[in-house]
Amino acid sequence: MLIVEEIIKKVCQKFEHIQKMKIHITRKKLKAFTLMELLVVLIIIGILVLLALPNLMPLISKAKSTEAQLQLEHIHTLEKSYFYLHSKYSTDFTEISFEPAVLTTKGGNANYQIEIIEATNNTFKARATAITDFDGDGIFNVWEVDQDKHIKEVTPD
């Protein structure tokens, strides 16, 4: 019983010591930023982003055009395989086993509408047309590929 009383007494002493520390800490003023200072910094960052954005738009457009080039390379490969098997090119995605990616307008993440615009026994041409105007100038980016794998930008954005 004596041991329990000593333990309780020591716990109470520690508790009182902790309470005194809390009071001492809460009385001390902490350095911090005010809400106005934080808002000013956010406004400055926003202005800097608005100034830099027009310079970055060509880079964004160029990066997104990589999607079109890769898709057209894939179409070319599939068309060549189909040509080696059937001695002609095809305009049908199913025949060449191409499944176009779902467009961003339909909940996907593809920025280009892919289509095979012509296919004969000896030639084909596929086109990738942007579904959004990347830099806001009203011109939509268009890329094409032919049977010789000449990928070219028909309409720059």
Side-chain angles (χ1 to χ4, degrees):
M1 189 76 167
L2 186 61
I3 297 174
V4 173
E5 288 177 3
E6 286 180 27
I7 293 173
I8 291 174
K9 192 175 188 180
K10 284 184 181 181
V11 169
C12 288
Q13 287 174 350
K14 291 286 184 187
F15 184 71
E16 288 174 8
H17 180 68
I18 291 172
Q19 288 291 8
K20 287 179 185 177
M21 284 178 60
K22 277 187 180 178
I23 291 171
H24 181 67
I25 289 173
T26 55
R27 287 185 186 163
K28 189 175 181 181
K29 188 173 182 178
L30 300 175
K31 292 182 180 181
F33 294 108
T34 65
L35 182 60
M36 286 301 292
E37 291 170 333
L38 292 173
L39 288 175
V40 167
V41 168
L42 288 175
I43 289 171
I44 291 170
I45 290 172
I47 291 170
L48 290 174
V49 167
L50 287 175
L51 291 174
L53 196 59
N55 295 333
L56 295 175
M57 290 312 285
L59 293 174
I60 293 169
S61 180
K62 185 177 179 182
K64 291 194 180 207
S65 70
T66 304
E67 173 192 342
Q69 295 170 34
L70 290 173
Q71 290 289 335
L72 290 175
E73 277 185 38
H74 186 59
I75 290 278
H76 176 266
T77 303
L78 293 173
E79 283 282 6
K80 276 297 186 185
S81 296
Y82 185 84
F83 178 78
Y84 293 141
L85 291 173
H86 303 281
S87 299
K88 65 177 184 172
Y89 293 105
S90 174
T91 57
D92 186 17
F93 286 149
T94 309
E95 287 181 354
I96 64 170
S97 301
F98 178 73
E99 186 176 333
V102 179
L103 299 172
T104 54
T105 55
K106 297 179 182 174
N109 40 347
N111 294 305
Y112 285 86
Q113 174 75 44
I114 309 294
E115 58 187 335
I116 301 172
I117 53 176
E118 69 179 62
T120 65
N121 287 342
N122 300 339
T123 63
F124 86 92
K125 189 178 282 189
R127 180 179 291 157
T129 307
I131 57 167
T132 58
D133 182 15
F134 301 126
D135 58 4
D137 63 357
I139 300 170
F140 292 86
N141 194 226
V142 179
W143 288 81
E144 288 183 353
V145 66
D146 62 10
Q147 69 282 350
D148 298 323
K149 201 176 182 178
H150 294 127
I151 299 174
K152 63 180 179 179
E153 188 175 26
V154 178
T155 308
D157 188 13

